């Protein structure tokens, strides 16, 4: 309600004799809100509210000039204290200290609005499992209808999972090149070089979902079961690419200043903001973007060291820093390649272990973007989880042809 209503209410209640027309309108609306907060089984409370806030009776009292607004407000507050969620207890208690009737009614109306939202959220949460279950069933049924008409509708999906299984049995790739400066060693991605394990449905599906983040846009054979999610996957792929560039910049920059500067969350956040802002057009102009980033980051490091009374970077180190940052523009850059592999490893762990467990043991170079990784990982897990719930039966039928009974049995025994 607008301020004009409350001003008008104040004028009416202050008049001699008082005019209760606005107050009655407000009490009627408050009664409706209180009734809407009740559960179906709370019949006794429903009858009590109907009786205490009987509009016809209140109208008669108002006509006699006997409407007791403070008494009614106290009753409403007691009912609110009974019905509100624990998070609203403090707000209701504060209302009890208000003596001005108009301010009290206004406060009551505002808190009741919050209580209505609490009830809406509670109702949505209560129905969410049922809605999700219905959505899963509906999507699967519609897909089955299409599959009945087009028996080859799973051909691309089969090819996608076949490739994922083949990837798991292939040797992992090594880092493509070495950095130019000795200050940044090129670590081998040994995280991905684990000894071969028996194939399992979970492993194959996880690899398949990861492959979608590397999908060639020109490849028209996109899995049929993921066509509805293709836009979301493209968005996740874009976020992954942005995080790869961001983490690469932070890793290179930290190698020149170490904990002296990167021990400060404020400094790290500032470099993040600078890098994100300057790399928005990285895809179209990577060299130009990284040239700007390299200049700005080196200036920030130089200025921060000077502010702390420390020696600035030497001209050679400054030139090396700028050069390494500019090299991130190339896809073959070693730092960028390793960071990209490690983010993919993190996402794979998220699919198998969950996001929170995966955050406990982040690969090197990713700790500075932990919050961003957690957000990306959760989005990826949510998308793949829903997809598996819908299309899981189809995936299992395909995987039966890709995983030998011996491998499946071995995996099942190891998981016990």
């Amino acid at each position: 309600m607008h301020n004009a209503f409350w001003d008008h209410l104040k004028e009416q209640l202050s008049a001699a004799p008082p005019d209760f027309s606005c107050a009655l309108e407000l009490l009627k609306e408050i009664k409706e809100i209180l009734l809407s907060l009740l559960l179906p089984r709370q019949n006794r409370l429903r009858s009590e509210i109907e009786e205490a806030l009987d509009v016809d009776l209140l109208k008669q009292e108002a006509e006699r000039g006997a409407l007791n607004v403070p008494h009614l407000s106290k009753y409403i507050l007691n009912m609110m204290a009974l019905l509100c969620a624990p998070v609203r207890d403090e707000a209701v208690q504060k209302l009890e200290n208000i003596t001005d009737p108009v301010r009290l009614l206004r406060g009551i109306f505002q808190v009741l609005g919050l209580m209505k939202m609490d009830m809406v959220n509670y109702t949505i949460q209560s129905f969410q499992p049922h809605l999700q279950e219905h959505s899963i069933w509906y999507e699967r049924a519609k897909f089955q209808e299409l599959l009945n008409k087009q028996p080859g509708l799973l051909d691309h999906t089969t090819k996608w999972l076949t490739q994922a299984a083949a990837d798991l049995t292939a040797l992992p790739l090594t880092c493509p090149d070495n950095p130019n400066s000795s200050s940044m060693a090129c670590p081998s991605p040994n995280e991905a070089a684990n000894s071969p394990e028996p194939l399992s449905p979970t492993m194959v599906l996880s690899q398949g979902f990861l492959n979608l983040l590397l999908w060639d846009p020109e490849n028209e054979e996109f899995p049929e079961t993921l066509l509805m999610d293709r836009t979301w996957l493209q968005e996740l792929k874009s976020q992954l690419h942005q995080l790869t560039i961001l983490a690469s910049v932070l890793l290179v920059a930290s190698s020149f200043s170490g904990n002296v500067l990167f021990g400060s969350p404020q400094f790290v956040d500032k470099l993040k903001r600078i890098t994100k802002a300057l790399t928005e057009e990285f895809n179209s102009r990577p060299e130009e973007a990284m040239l700007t980033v390299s200049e700005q980051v080196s200036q920030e490091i130089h200025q921060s060291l000077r502010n702390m009374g420390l020696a600035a970077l030497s001209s050679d180190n400054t030139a090396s820093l700028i050069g390494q940052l500019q090299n991130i523009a190339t896809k073959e850059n070693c730092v960028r390649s390793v960071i990209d592999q490690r983010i993919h490893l993190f996402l794979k762990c998220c699919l198998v272990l969950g996001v929170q467990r995966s955050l406990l043991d982040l690969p090197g170079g990713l700790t500075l973007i932990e919050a961003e990784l957690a957000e990306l990982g959760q989005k990826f897990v949510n998308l793949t989880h829903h997809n598996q719930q819908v299309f899981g039966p189809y995936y299992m039928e395909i995987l039966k042809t890709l995983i030998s009974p011996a491998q499946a049995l071995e995996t099942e025994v190891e998981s016990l």
Side-chain angles (χ1 to χ4, degrees):
M1 292 185 177
H2 298 293
N3 290 333
F5 172 85
W6 300 107
D7 292 339
H8 189 45
L9 175 63
K10 187 172 183 178
E11 291 177 3
Q12 287 189 342
L13 294 181
S14 302
D19 182 352
F20 295 107
S21 56
C22 281
L24 284 172
E25 180 185 338
L26 185 61
L27 288 170
K28 181 181 179 180
E29 191 160 351
I30 288 175
K31 173 187 173 181
E32 292 174 354
I33 295 175
L34 287 174
L35 291 174
S36 72
L37 297 175
L38 297 177
L39 298 174
R41 64 177 181 273
Q42 293 177 306
N43 295 322
R44 185 184 62 79
L45 283 177
R46 187 178 303 276
S47 299
E48 182 182 323
I49 294 172
E50 290 280 8
E51 182 179 347
L53 298 176
D54 185 297
V55 177
D56 292 333
L57 183 60
L58 294 177
K59 187 175 181 180
Q60 293 175 15
E61 292 179 356
E63 290 173 351
R64 298 197 307 267
L67 187 65
N68 192 337
V69 175
H71 173 74
L72 290 170
S73 298
K74 183 173 179 58
Y75 171 80
I76 293 168
L77 282 177
N78 290 337
M79 193 58 63
M80 289 170 63
L82 184 64
L83 297 176
C84 74
V87 71
R88 304 299 174 199
D89 285 342
E90 184 178 352
V92 174
Q93 289 172 4
K94 287 182 178 179
L95 293 177
E96 296 174 355
N97 299 322
I98 300 176
T99 56
D100 179 73
V102 176
R103 284 187 57 230
L104 178 56
L105 286 172
R106 186 170 189 172
I108 286 174
F109 197 75
Q110 290 173 341
V111 175
L112 279 174
L114 296 175
M115 291 171 63
K116 278 180 63 177
M117 290 305 301
D118 293 338
M119 178 56 74
V120 170
N121 291 332
Y122 170 77
T123 304
I124 292 174
Q125 290 174 3
S126 299
F127 279 101
Q128 194 167 15
H130 304 288
L131 294 173
Q132 186 175 11
E133 183 179 352
H134 179 75
S135 172
I136 292 168
W137 176 87
Y138 180 80
E139 289 183 53
R140 188 184 299 163
K142 285 298 181 182
F143 186 81
Q144 184 62 50
E145 289 180 12
L146 293 174
L147 186 60
N148 292 339
K149 297 176 183 178
Q150 306 175 46
L153 191 59
L154 286 170
D155 288 352
H156 294 167
T157 302
T158 302
K159 188 172 182 179
W160 163 62
L161 290 175
T162 302
Q163 183 60 52
D167 291 342
L168 288 173
T169 58
L171 293 175
L173 296 175
T174 57
C175 191
D177 69 341
N178 292 313
N180 296 329
S181 170
S182 60
S183 65
M184 179 63 68
C186 178
S188 172
N190 53 14
E191 301 88 13
N194 297 324
S195 58
E197 297 180 2
L199 292 182
S200 70
T202 299
M203 294 292 289
V204 176
L205 275 172
S206 297
Q207 184 63 43
F209 287 127
L210 283 173
N211 287 349
L212 295 174
L213 298 177
L214 300 169
W215 197 268
D216 182 359
E218 302 298 322
N219 187 349
E220 297 295 334
E221 298 182 348
F222 200 81
E224 299 89 347
T225 54
L226 284 140
L227 285 174
M228 296 294 291
D229 299 318
R230 190 168 190 175
T231 300
W232 293 109
L233 285 165
Q234 187 62 37
E235 176 62 27
L236 291 178
K237 180 179 179 180
S238 175
Q239 291 181 25
L240 188 155
H241 182 260
Q242 292 169 2
L243 286 186
T244 298
I245 302 303
L246 175 62
S248 299
V249 169
L250 296 176
L251 183 58
V252 169
S254 65
S255 69
F256 286 86
S257 56
N259 292 331
V260 174
L261 296 181
F262 278 77
S264 166
Q266 292 79 10
F267 177 79
V268 174
D269 287 342
K270 187 173 184 180
L271 278 196
K272 283 184 179 181
R273 291 194 301 270
I274 291 172
T275 303
K276 289 176 182 178
L278 297 178
T279 55
E280 288 182 353
E281 298 183 4
F282 182 91
N283 289 337
S284 58
R285 298 182 295 177
E287 290 82 7
E288 183 177 335
M290 290 313 302
L291 174 61
T292 308
V293 168
S294 65
E295 294 173 348
Q296 190 66 41
V297 169
S298 64
Q299 288 178 15
E300 288 296 330
I301 291 177
H302 176 79
Q303 185 63 45
S304 296
L305 289 173
R306 188 168 66 178
N307 292 343
M308 296 175 66
L310 300 174
L313 295 179
S314 66
S315 57
D316 289 342
N317 280 340
T318 300
S320 180
L321 169 63
I322 292 175
Q324 289 192 38
L325 289 173
Q326 290 178 2
N327 286 339
I328 294 173
T330 62
K331 292 182 179 180
E332 297 76 16
N333 176 261
C334 183
V335 176
R336 178 174 163 183
S337 297
V338 171
I339 291 295
D340 182 67
Q341 291 166 357
R342 290 179 177 177
I343 293 179
H344 277 84
L345 173 64
F346 167 76
L347 291 176
K348 188 171 186 177
C349 289
C350 287
L351 295 180
V352 178
L353 303 175
V355 177
Q356 294 306 315
R357 286 184 62 185
S358 301
L359 289 170
L360 296 177
D361 189 24
L362 283 177
L366 302 186
T367 54
L368 293 175
I369 58 166
E370 180 177 343
E372 292 86 352
L373 281 176
E375 180 182 354
L376 176 66
Q378 195 59 60
K379 289 180 180 178
F380 190 47
V381 168
N382 290 345
L383 186 152
T384 57
H385 178 68
H386 179 77
N387 181 267
Q388 287 184 74
Q389 286 185 308
V390 175
F391 299 104
Y394 302 105
Y395 293 152
M396 291 309 298
E397 288 300 316
I398 296 172
L399 291 170
K400 285 179 182 178
T401 66
L402 300 178
I403 302 175
S404 67
Q407 285 180 312
L409 178 61
E410 185 176 352
T411 305
E412 183 177 345
V413 171
E414 288 181 354
S415 64
L416 296 178

